[in-house]
Amino acid sequence: MAFTKDWIVVITKKDQLSLSAANAWMKTIDLSSSIVSPFTAGYIINTISYRFACGIFVGWNLLSVFVEAYIIIKVYNTVPELTTRESLSTPDEQTKIKCCKKCPCFIQYTIGKWFTLFYIYYQQNVFLAAFGLTLLYMTVLGFDGIAIGYAKSQGLSALWLGILRSTGAAFGIIGAYLYSLIEIHSSARKSGLIGLIAQHLALYICIVSIWLPGSPFDPLTYFREITFAIWWQQLKDSFTFITNKNQSETGSNNIDWSTWTSNGHSIISVFTLLVGIATARLGNMQR
């Protein structure tokens, strides 16, 4: 996070061309590790027990933290500009802050603080574009806990989840490369627009998956048969952890690719959903 957020601006000395290239390279490095790690983790979980897999992951994190700390300290000592903090507030912003400081204490630390931050944010030239992207984050799908949990409940194994996550990272690397290429021959605005369109086209695949075989989406039947007692029981069951005795100690599942089923349940819908999410990473180049 330090390299891709604040530090990278200082390291490139705010040169816009080198900053764009550096951001693309940092995203490529990050996504390169995202290709290897999900596949490796899925393979480990799929072949050995969860207990030993957790031990491997814990050991790896304990060892890698020292390498990460060494690299961060090395970069921090190499770039002297990182030791100084630059004030970015304008005279108008400072006046606004002083006005807020005249308010009572409880307003300063609540309403005044948030109002000042939003006012500074509103004064930026990129406010509309940035605010639009924040709204986009409300609809963007990703390989988060909800998607992975849903895929596991539909019968996909940890190995295939790792493969699909690695595929998504590969599309992200292609998107980062295309961003630099399009920006050189065109502009950052056009590259962002192309990335946004590519992301939306890929997410339409996720919409199609709703009506494919294996999808639990059936709102008409749900609202026709649901009662308060059933809803309350389902709510209580959602907080209860139930161990499946038929589930193995590994993350493997019996998938029949001739019929696209896992333990008799169709995986066409969930597989299409995850393919759409992975392909949508191609459009992440605009961010």
Side-chain angles (χ1 to χ4, degrees):
M1 292 180 64
F3 294 127
T4 57
K5 298 297 181 182
D6 300 329
W7 285 20
I8 195 66
V9 179
V10 180
I11 293 174
T12 56
K13 297 181 179 179
K14 298 184 179 180
D15 184 0
Q16 293 299 323
L17 294 178
S18 61
L19 178 60
S20 300
N23 279 328
W25 274 107
M26 295 304 299
K27 191 173 185 66
T28 302
I29 295 173
D30 178 57
L31 292 174
S32 298
S33 63
S34 298
I35 291 178
V36 179
S37 56
F39 176 77
T40 305
Y43 179 79
I44 293 174
I45 295 175
N46 210 63
T47 53
I48 64 177
S49 64
Y50 287 121
R51 181 175 300 178
F52 287 104
C54 289
I56 293 175
F57 298 150
V58 170
W60 175 261
N61 281 277
L62 291 177
L63 292 176
S64 62
V65 68
F66 296 102
V67 179
E68 295 174 7
Y70 172 77
I71 294 175
I72 292 176
I73 294 173
K74 185 71 174 179
V75 174
Y76 184 80
N77 294 330
T78 304
V79 183
E81 290 81 1
L82 293 174
T83 59
T84 59
R85 182 181 295 273
E86 181 181 355
S87 178
L88 300 177
S89 57
T90 62
D92 293 338
E93 295 167 357
Q94 293 177 357
T95 303
K96 193 69 178 179
I97 295 174
K98 291 180 180 179
C99 292
C100 292
K101 289 183 178 180
K102 296 179 181 179
C103 300
C105 294
F106 72 94
I107 296 180
Q108 291 182 24
Y109 292 103
T110 54
I111 301 176
K113 179 181 178 180
W114 290 107
F115 180 78
T116 303
L117 293 176
F118 183 80
Y119 177 79
I120 297 174
Y121 177 50
Y122 177 77
Q123 295 297 317
Q124 307 303 315
N125 295 329
V126 295
F127 168 74
L128 293 178
F131 189 73
L133 285 179
T134 58
L135 297 179
L136 178 65
Y137 270 99
M138 299 176 63
T139 58
V140 167
L141 298 176
F143 288 101
D144 51 12
I146 297 177
I148 294 176
Y150 170 69
K152 290 285 290 183
S153 67
Q154 295 296 303
L156 279 185
S157 63
L159 177 61
W160 274 102
L161 285 174
I163 292 175
L164 290 171
R165 294 185 68 180
S166 298
T167 304
F171 275 109
I173 292 178
I174 297 174
Y177 173 76
L178 291 178
Y179 173 82
S180 301
L181 188 64
I182 296 174
E183 187 182 23
I184 292 174
H185 294 85
S186 181
S187 63
R189 180 177 297 180
K190 289 185 178 180
S191 62
L193 178 61
I194 294 174
L196 188 64
I197 294 174
Q199 186 177 35
H200 277 76
L201 291 177
L203 291 178
Y204 291 150
I205 301 175
C206 302
I207 298 177
V208 174
S209 68
I210 296 177
W211 291 278
L212 293 179
S215 173
F217 182 75
D218 189 6
L220 296 179
T221 304
Y222 176 80
F223 287 107
R224 184 170 57 248
E225 298 179 355
I226 193 67
T227 62
F228 179 78
I230 296 176
W231 175 83
W232 182 252
Q233 185 62 38
Q234 291 176 350
L235 180 63
K236 292 191 297 183
D237 293 341
S238 63
F239 293 96
T240 304
F241 179 78
I242 301 176
T243 303
N244 187 0
K245 296 182 179 180
N246 297 325
Q247 186 178 6
S248 62
E249 288 294 324
T250 63
S252 60
N253 294 78
N254 297 323
I255 299 178
D256 185 4
W257 293 107
S258 61
T259 58
W260 285 76
T261 58
S262 175
N263 299 324
H265 179 75
S266 177
I267 60 172
I268 296 178
S269 175
V270 64
F271 199 86
T272 304
L273 172 67
L274 296 182
V275 168
I277 295 176
T279 310
R281 297 295 297 273
L282 180 66
N284 282 356
M285 61 181 178
Q286 86 273 8
R287 287 181 284 153

